[in-house]
Amino acid sequence: MSTRRRATNALRMSRARMADIQFADLSYEVQVGYRGTKKQILKGVNGIFKAAELTAIMGPSGAGKSTLLNILTGFLQGHLTGKVEYISSEGRQNWNNYKKQSCYIQQTDNLYGLFTVQESMMMVTYLKIGKATKMFRQILIDNILETLKLSKVKDTMVDRLSGGQKKRLSIALELIDNPPIMFLDEPTTGLDSLASIQCISALQTLAKGGRTVICTIHQPTAALYQMFDHIYLVVDGQCLYAGSPDNTVSYFAQQGFQCPQYHNPADYMLEVVSKEYGDYNNQLIEAAKEHCRREETPLKMRIMREASFYDEKTRMMMDPPSELMKFKTLLYRCALIVYRDWTVSHIKVAVTFLVAILLGLTFEHSGQDASKTLSNVSFLMITTMYFIYTNMFPAVLKFPLELAILKKERFNNWYQLKTYYVATLVMAIPLTLFYTSVYSAISYVLTRQPMEWNRFLMFLTMMILTSFISESLGLSLGTLFNPINGTFFGAIIACAMIMLAGFLVFFNHMPKILYYISYMNYYRFALDGLVLAIYGYQREMLQCPSHIEYCHFRAPSMILEELRMTKSLFWIDTVVLIVWLFILRIVTYITLKRRLSKVC
């Protein structure tokens, strides 16, 4: 079988993967307020959504349609009673078995705008498909884009797409691994009439291919309404109608509600259940229980008739990749974002270069001038604080800005959280090394610090560790709080660290309780390591200018004694900072996972 044919078959549904979704006595409640009463959102709803059909869950605002969709996807699992089953040729299965075979496309299109459509699709193929050749991947991409009418924008940047094109791209990305079940939340929201028709038409095509496609929709036009195969009307957490769009008018006529001629059936149906013609909802609920049941039809004959077969090689090509391959793909994606987002890389390089020159000129010769020893310690302190601020505060925003994308991709099984987390951290390593090296090389020379390689490397080591720890602290704050509170607490922590660093208030003058608390301050150990790098380990006497009669800190040991650092050891400072780094990395991962569990 040719590669092109295999790629085409990869978009068709195999008989074993097609599935109906059946739910019975489904109820869901939420607690209003911290200790408030419980409110029931769904009240014992029943239904069946079949494969090869496009189903619309309709209802007025607050009716429970999004809640029902989220329960069927597994997005909500809290105070839930009832049963949800997936019925395939292999029998009845629960949600855990079908979780990895379904996808959920949310109302907002959470996409990276710095990639083209082609780049976005290709990267997702490496996240979802393991052993396929590049030709197979490209043909598969072309087929999907052709199906969703996106071929003409293949080389367009995502942030330049229209709303309808972004929605179809969101669908295209999930089609890479050919999921048998697709859930969409309000896919036409924010789209004009033409874009809405194009979107629903694309979903209709996908459903005819054997998929179970379910979406919520608020108030469709008459043209959109007729494009659905099955309508499930939810009002006040209960089903008031379940049937085809063609039967809507006749069904409501049987219940005593005659839809006016040329009136949109969807609008009329919502007007009736919204009590514009009186409160008849209880009557409709009872009628729906009696007349709107769908018989559970045997799937075997229908699947054999409508489904195609994978050959063994096609099936192997569509197997998911290893986490290592996903890690490499995510690392490449991070690198591409850094390269194209000039606010991340270019500005920071320029600012780091300018700050290094500015501080170097401000503290000129302070490294070898005995009369400027305290100024030189101030330079070391400002340098440390510069790297704390420039690494902590951007990091506070890192995960909150990507949380929606991360939530979508993780829920749809693109990768594991640990893979994404490690790729993000690894990508930051070369950038941090570059920024700290540029700054250290320039400022170290301009301030005339001792020109010894071992001292410079000790200086650089402290800067690198400080940068990594500050970034980790910022990431932790970003996962614990919203961006505003995270920035606020970050500033408070930074101020406290400055106060307890041992220079603005010497350790000799500090109250004992604060002195012991200062051991929890990584800034203390960073500054301690820098002072040791410059003045420790038997450094020779400093130069005292000829116009100054006495330099108290001409002997480097004097400043160490004044700062209470005579017994400090550089390697201990290094070990403490490394421990801090590992602790914060672990805390960040735990808090990120916890935050995602709240939204997932």
Side-chain angles (χ1 to χ4, degrees), residues 52-58 184 187-188 196 199-201 203-204 207 213-232 243-248 266:
E53 286 186 354
L54 175 58
T55 300
I57 302 175
M58 287 184 58
L184 300 97
T188 59
S196 296
C199 179
I200 299 301
S201 177
L203 296 177
Q204 194 178 43
V213 184
I214 304 164
C215 64
T216 58
I217 194 164
H218 183 62
Q219 198 163 1
T221 62
L224 280 182
Y225 186 71
Q226 291 299 322
M227 295 175 74
F228 292 99
D229 299 306
H230 182 65
I231 302 297
Y232 192 87
S244 69
D246 294 334
N247 293 336
T248 304

Short mmCIF file of all heavy atoms in Angstrom, two decimals, residues 52-58 184 187-188 196 199-201 203-204 207 213-232 243-248 266:
data_model
loop_
_atom_site.label_atom_id
_atom_site.label_comp_id
_atom_site.label_asym_id
_atom_site.label_seq_id
_atom_site.Cartn_x
_atom_site.Cartn_y
_atom_site.Cartn_z
N ALA A 52 -21.11 8.49 13.87
CA ALA A 52 -21.48 8.92 12.51
C ALA A 52 -22.62 9.94 12.53
O ALA A 52 -23.31 10.12 11.53
CB ALA A 52 -21.83 7.73 11.63
N GLU A 53 -22.79 10.62 13.68
CA GLU A 53 -23.81 11.67 13.78
C GLU A 53 -23.19 12.93 14.38
O GLU A 53 -22.31 12.85 15.24
CB GLU A 53 -24.98 11.22 14.66
CG GLU A 53 -25.90 10.21 14.00
CD GLU A 53 -27.12 9.92 14.85
OE1 GLU A 53 -27.19 10.42 16.01
OE2 GLU A 53 -27.99 9.19 14.37
N LEU A 54 -23.71 14.07 13.94
CA LEU A 54 -23.34 15.36 14.51
C LEU A 54 -24.45 15.77 15.47
O LEU A 54 -25.58 16.06 15.05
CB LEU A 54 -23.16 16.40 13.41
CG LEU A 54 -22.88 17.85 13.86
CD1 LEU A 54 -21.62 17.93 14.72
CD2 LEU A 54 -22.75 18.77 12.65
N THR A 55 -24.14 15.77 16.76
CA THR A 55 -25.13 16.05 17.80
C THR A 55 -24.93 17.43 18.37
O THR A 55 -23.80 17.85 18.64
CB THR A 55 -25.01 15.01 18.94
OG1 THR A 55 -25.24 13.70 18.41
CG2 THR A 55 -26.02 15.30 20.03
N ALA A 56 -26.03 18.15 18.56
CA ALA A 56 -25.99 19.48 19.17
C ALA A 56 -26.72 19.44 20.51
O ALA A 56 -27.88 19.00 20.58
CB ALA A 56 -26.63 20.52 18.26
N ILE A 57 -26.03 19.86 21.57
CA ILE A 57 -26.67 20.03 22.88
C ILE A 57 -27.09 21.49 22.97
O ILE A 57 -26.25 22.40 22.98
CB ILE A 57 -25.71 19.67 24.02
CG1 ILE A 57 -25.23 18.23 23.89
CG2 ILE A 57 -26.40 19.87 25.37
CD1 ILE A 57 -24.18 17.83 24.91
N MET A 58 -28.39 21.74 22.99
CA MET A 58 -28.91 23.11 22.98
C MET A 58 -29.57 23.45 24.31
O MET A 58 -29.88 22.57 25.11
CB MET A 58 -29.92 23.27 21.83
CG MET A 58 -29.31 23.32 20.45
SD MET A 58 -30.58 23.63 19.19
CE MET A 58 -31.29 25.20 19.77
N LEU A 184 -17.01 19.60 21.36
CA LEU A 184 -16.74 21.01 21.07
C LEU A 184 -17.68 21.88 21.88
O LEU A 184 -18.90 21.66 21.91
CB LEU A 184 -16.91 21.32 19.57
CG LEU A 184 -16.02 20.54 18.61
CD1 LEU A 184 -16.78 19.34 18.04
CD2 LEU A 184 -15.51 21.43 17.49
N PRO A 187 -18.74 25.96 19.29
CA PRO A 187 -17.78 26.17 18.21
C PRO A 187 -18.07 27.38 17.34
O PRO A 187 -17.18 27.85 16.62
CB PRO A 187 -17.89 24.87 17.39
CG PRO A 187 -19.25 24.34 17.69
CD PRO A 187 -19.52 24.72 19.10
N THR A 188 -19.32 27.90 17.35
CA THR A 188 -19.65 29.03 16.48
C THR A 188 -19.61 30.37 17.20
O THR A 188 -19.89 31.40 16.60
CB THR A 188 -21.06 28.83 15.89
OG1 THR A 188 -22.02 28.73 16.95
CG2 THR A 188 -21.11 27.57 15.04
N SER A 196 -19.56 30.37 10.56
CA SER A 196 -20.27 29.36 11.35
C SER A 196 -20.70 28.19 10.48
O SER A 196 -20.57 27.03 10.86
CB SER A 196 -21.51 30.00 12.01
OG SER A 196 -21.13 31.00 12.92
N CYS A 199 -17.72 26.08 9.63
CA CYS A 199 -17.28 25.29 10.79
C CYS A 199 -18.18 24.07 10.99
O CYS A 199 -17.69 22.94 11.12
CB CYS A 199 -17.28 26.17 12.04
SG CYS A 199 -16.77 25.31 13.54
N ILE A 200 -19.50 24.28 10.98
CA ILE A 200 -20.43 23.17 11.20
C ILE A 200 -20.38 22.20 10.01
O ILE A 200 -20.51 20.98 10.19
CB ILE A 200 -21.86 23.70 11.41
CG1 ILE A 200 -21.90 24.60 12.66
CG2 ILE A 200 -22.84 22.55 11.57
CD1 ILE A 200 -21.47 23.92 13.93
N SER A 201 -20.17 22.74 8.80
CA SER A 201 -20.03 21.87 7.63
C SER A 201 -18.83 20.94 7.78
O SER A 201 -18.90 19.76 7.42
CB SER A 201 -19.91 22.72 6.37
OG SER A 201 -19.72 21.90 5.23
N LEU A 203 -17.55 19.92 10.62
CA LEU A 203 -17.90 18.93 11.64
C LEU A 203 -18.83 17.87 11.07
O LEU A 203 -18.74 16.69 11.41
CB LEU A 203 -18.57 19.63 12.83
CG LEU A 203 -17.69 20.61 13.63
CD1 LEU A 203 -18.51 21.26 14.73
CD2 LEU A 203 -16.48 19.90 14.21
N GLN A 204 -19.73 18.29 10.18
CA GLN A 204 -20.64 17.35 9.54
C GLN A 204 -19.87 16.33 8.71
O GLN A 204 -20.16 15.12 8.74
CB GLN A 204 -21.62 18.13 8.66
CG GLN A 204 -22.82 17.35 8.19
CD GLN A 204 -23.75 18.22 7.37
OE1 GLN A 204 -23.31 19.01 6.53
NE2 GLN A 204 -25.05 18.10 7.61
N ALA A 207 -18.21 13.85 11.04
CA ALA A 207 -19.17 12.91 11.61
C ALA A 207 -19.52 11.81 10.60
O ALA A 207 -19.62 10.63 10.95
CB ALA A 207 -20.43 13.64 12.06
N VAL A 213 -19.47 13.14 17.01
CA VAL A 213 -19.17 14.56 17.16
C VAL A 213 -20.30 15.22 17.95
O VAL A 213 -21.46 15.19 17.53
CB VAL A 213 -19.00 15.25 15.80
CG1 VAL A 213 -18.59 16.72 15.99
CG2 VAL A 213 -17.95 14.53 14.95
N ILE A 214 -19.95 15.79 19.09
CA ILE A 214 -20.93 16.39 19.99
C ILE A 214 -20.50 17.82 20.30
O ILE A 214 -19.35 18.06 20.67
CB ILE A 214 -21.03 15.60 21.31
CG1 ILE A 214 -21.35 14.13 21.02
CG2 ILE A 214 -22.08 16.20 22.23
CD1 ILE A 214 -21.09 13.22 22.20
N CYS A 215 -21.41 18.75 20.15
CA CYS A 215 -21.06 20.15 20.47
C CYS A 215 -22.23 20.84 21.16
O CYS A 215 -23.39 20.43 21.00
CB CYS A 215 -20.65 20.90 19.21
SG CYS A 215 -21.95 21.09 17.98
N THR A 216 -21.93 21.86 21.92
CA THR A 216 -22.97 22.71 22.48
C THR A 216 -23.16 23.89 21.55
O THR A 216 -22.21 24.35 20.90
CB THR A 216 -22.58 23.21 23.88
OG1 THR A 216 -21.34 23.92 23.79
CG2 THR A 216 -22.43 22.06 24.86
N ILE A 217 -24.36 24.39 21.50
CA ILE A 217 -24.64 25.56 20.66
C ILE A 217 -25.81 26.30 21.30
O ILE A 217 -26.74 25.68 21.85
CB ILE A 217 -24.93 25.15 19.20
CG1 ILE A 217 -24.87 26.37 18.29
CG2 ILE A 217 -26.25 24.40 19.07
CD1 ILE A 217 -24.76 26.02 16.82
N HIS A 218 -25.76 27.61 21.25
CA HIS A 218 -26.74 28.39 22.00
C HIS A 218 -28.02 28.61 21.20
O HIS A 218 -29.09 28.14 21.56
CB HIS A 218 -26.13 29.73 22.40
CG HIS A 218 -27.04 30.58 23.25
ND1 HIS A 218 -27.48 30.17 24.48
CD2 HIS A 218 -27.61 31.79 23.02
CE1 HIS A 218 -28.26 31.11 25.01
NE2 HIS A 218 -28.37 32.09 24.12
N GLN A 219 -27.95 29.32 20.09
CA GLN A 219 -29.14 29.64 19.30
C GLN A 219 -28.76 29.69 17.83
O GLN A 219 -28.50 30.74 17.28
CB GLN A 219 -29.73 30.98 19.77
CG GLN A 219 -31.17 31.18 19.34
CD GLN A 219 -31.84 32.29 20.13
OE1 GLN A 219 -31.22 32.92 20.99
NE2 GLN A 219 -33.10 32.55 19.84
N PRO A 220 -28.74 28.54 17.14
CA PRO A 220 -28.30 28.51 15.75
C PRO A 220 -29.33 29.10 14.80
O PRO A 220 -30.53 29.14 15.11
CB PRO A 220 -28.12 27.01 15.49
CG PRO A 220 -29.10 26.36 16.41
CD PRO A 220 -29.12 27.23 17.64
N THR A 221 -28.86 29.51 13.65
CA THR A 221 -29.77 29.95 12.59
C THR A 221 -30.49 28.73 12.04
O THR A 221 -30.13 27.58 12.32
CB THR A 221 -29.00 30.65 11.47
OG1 THR A 221 -28.08 29.71 10.89
CG2 THR A 221 -28.22 31.85 12.00
N ALA A 222 -31.51 28.98 11.22
CA ALA A 222 -32.27 27.87 10.64
C ALA A 222 -31.38 26.98 9.78
O ALA A 222 -31.50 25.75 9.80
CB ALA A 222 -33.44 28.42 9.83
N ALA A 223 -30.45 27.61 9.03
CA ALA A 223 -29.56 26.83 8.16
C ALA A 223 -28.63 25.96 8.99
O ALA A 223 -28.41 24.79 8.66
CB ALA A 223 -28.75 27.78 7.27
N LEU A 224 -28.08 26.51 10.06
CA LEU A 224 -27.19 25.73 10.92
C LEU A 224 -27.95 24.61 11.61
O LEU A 224 -27.45 23.49 11.74
CB LEU A 224 -26.54 26.63 11.98
CG LEU A 224 -25.35 27.49 11.58
CD1 LEU A 224 -24.84 28.26 12.79
CD2 LEU A 224 -24.24 26.65 11.00
N TYR A 225 -29.16 24.92 12.04
CA TYR A 225 -29.96 23.94 12.79
C TYR A 225 -30.20 22.68 11.96
O TYR A 225 -30.14 21.56 12.48
CB TYR A 225 -31.28 24.59 13.20
CG TYR A 225 -32.13 23.74 14.11
CD1 TYR A 225 -31.76 23.52 15.43
CD2 TYR A 225 -33.32 23.16 13.63
CE1 TYR A 225 -32.55 22.74 16.28
CE2 TYR A 225 -34.10 22.38 14.48
CZ TYR A 225 -33.72 22.17 15.78
OH TYR A 225 -34.49 21.39 16.62
N GLN A 226 -30.43 22.86 10.68
CA GLN A 226 -30.72 21.71 9.81
C GLN A 226 -29.48 20.89 9.49
O GLN A 226 -29.60 19.77 8.99
CB GLN A 226 -31.36 22.21 8.50
CG GLN A 226 -32.77 22.77 8.66
CD GLN A 226 -33.74 21.73 9.20
OE1 GLN A 226 -33.69 20.56 8.84
NE2 GLN A 226 -34.65 22.15 10.08
N MET A 227 -28.30 21.39 9.79
CA MET A 227 -27.07 20.66 9.49
C MET A 227 -26.76 19.59 10.54
O MET A 227 -25.93 18.71 10.31
CB MET A 227 -25.90 21.64 9.38
CG MET A 227 -26.02 22.61 8.20
SD MET A 227 -24.72 23.85 8.16
CE MET A 227 -23.35 22.85 7.60
N PHE A 228 -27.43 19.66 11.68
CA PHE A 228 -27.19 18.67 12.73
C PHE A 228 -28.02 17.41 12.47
O PHE A 228 -29.09 17.46 11.87
CB PHE A 228 -27.54 19.25 14.11
CG PHE A 228 -26.60 20.34 14.55
CD1 PHE A 228 -26.96 21.67 14.42
CD2 PHE A 228 -25.37 20.03 15.09
CE1 PHE A 228 -26.10 22.68 14.83
CE2 PHE A 228 -24.50 21.04 15.51
CZ PHE A 228 -24.86 22.36 15.37
N ASP A 229 -27.50 16.29 12.96
CA ASP A 229 -28.21 15.02 12.83
C ASP A 229 -29.11 14.76 14.03
O ASP A 229 -30.14 14.09 13.90
CB ASP A 229 -27.21 13.86 12.69
CG ASP A 229 -26.35 14.00 11.45
OD1 ASP A 229 -26.91 14.15 10.36
OD2 ASP A 229 -25.10 13.98 11.60
N HIS A 230 -28.71 15.27 15.19
CA HIS A 230 -29.46 14.98 16.41
C HIS A 230 -29.42 16.21 17.32
O HIS A 230 -28.36 16.83 17.48
CB HIS A 230 -28.86 13.77 17.13
CG HIS A 230 -29.60 13.37 18.37
ND1 HIS A 230 -30.89 12.90 18.36
CD2 HIS A 230 -29.21 13.37 19.68
CE1 HIS A 230 -31.27 12.62 19.59
NE2 HIS A 230 -30.28 12.90 20.42
N ILE A 231 -30.55 16.55 17.90
CA ILE A 231 -30.67 17.69 18.81
C ILE A 231 -31.03 17.16 20.20
O ILE A 231 -31.94 16.33 20.36
CB ILE A 231 -31.76 18.67 18.34
CG1 ILE A 231 -31.48 19.18 16.93
CG2 ILE A 231 -31.87 19.85 19.32
CD1 ILE A 231 -30.20 19.98 16.79
N TYR A 232 -30.30 17.67 21.20
CA TYR A 232 -30.58 17.31 22.59
C TYR A 232 -30.78 18.62 23.35
O TYR A 232 -29.84 19.37 23.60
CB TYR A 232 -29.43 16.50 23.19
CG TYR A 232 -29.75 15.84 24.50
CD1 TYR A 232 -30.34 14.58 24.55
CD2 TYR A 232 -29.45 16.46 25.72
CE1 TYR A 232 -30.64 13.96 25.76
CE2 TYR A 232 -29.75 15.86 26.92
CZ TYR A 232 -30.35 14.61 26.94
OH TYR A 232 -30.64 14.00 28.14
N GLY A 243 -34.13 14.55 19.46
CA GLY A 243 -34.56 14.03 18.16
C GLY A 243 -33.87 14.76 17.04
O GLY A 243 -32.98 15.59 17.26
N SER A 244 -34.29 14.50 15.82
CA SER A 244 -33.68 15.12 14.65
C SER A 244 -34.27 16.52 14.43
O SER A 244 -35.40 16.79 14.86
CB SER A 244 -33.91 14.26 13.41
OG SER A 244 -35.28 14.28 13.07
N PRO A 245 -33.54 17.40 13.76
CA PRO A 245 -34.08 18.75 13.48
C PRO A 245 -35.36 18.71 12.65
O PRO A 245 -36.25 19.55 12.84
CB PRO A 245 -32.94 19.42 12.70
CG PRO A 245 -31.72 18.66 13.07
CD PRO A 245 -32.16 17.26 13.29
N ASP A 246 -35.48 17.72 11.75
CA ASP A 246 -36.65 17.65 10.89
C ASP A 246 -37.93 17.35 11.67
O ASP A 246 -39.03 17.69 11.24
CB ASP A 246 -36.45 16.56 9.82
CG ASP A 246 -35.33 16.91 8.86
OD1 ASP A 246 -35.07 18.12 8.69
OD2 ASP A 246 -34.70 15.99 8.30
N ASN A 247 -37.79 16.70 12.82
CA ASN A 247 -38.97 16.33 13.62
C ASN A 247 -39.36 17.37 14.65
O ASN A 247 -40.35 17.18 15.38
CB ASN A 247 -38.72 15.00 14.33
CG ASN A 247 -38.61 13.84 13.35
OD1 ASN A 247 -39.14 13.90 12.24
ND2 ASN A 247 -37.92 12.78 13.76
N THR A 248 -38.60 18.45 14.75
CA THR A 248 -38.84 19.42 15.82
C THR A 248 -40.23 20.04 15.72
O THR A 248 -40.99 20.07 16.71
CB THR A 248 -37.78 20.53 15.77
OG1 THR A 248 -36.49 19.97 15.85
CG2 THR A 248 -37.97 21.50 16.93
N ALA A 266 -35.48 26.43 15.72
CA ALA A 266 -34.61 26.50 16.90
C ALA A 266 -35.02 27.67 17.79
O ALA A 266 -35.08 27.54 19.03
CB ALA A 266 -33.15 26.66 16.47
#
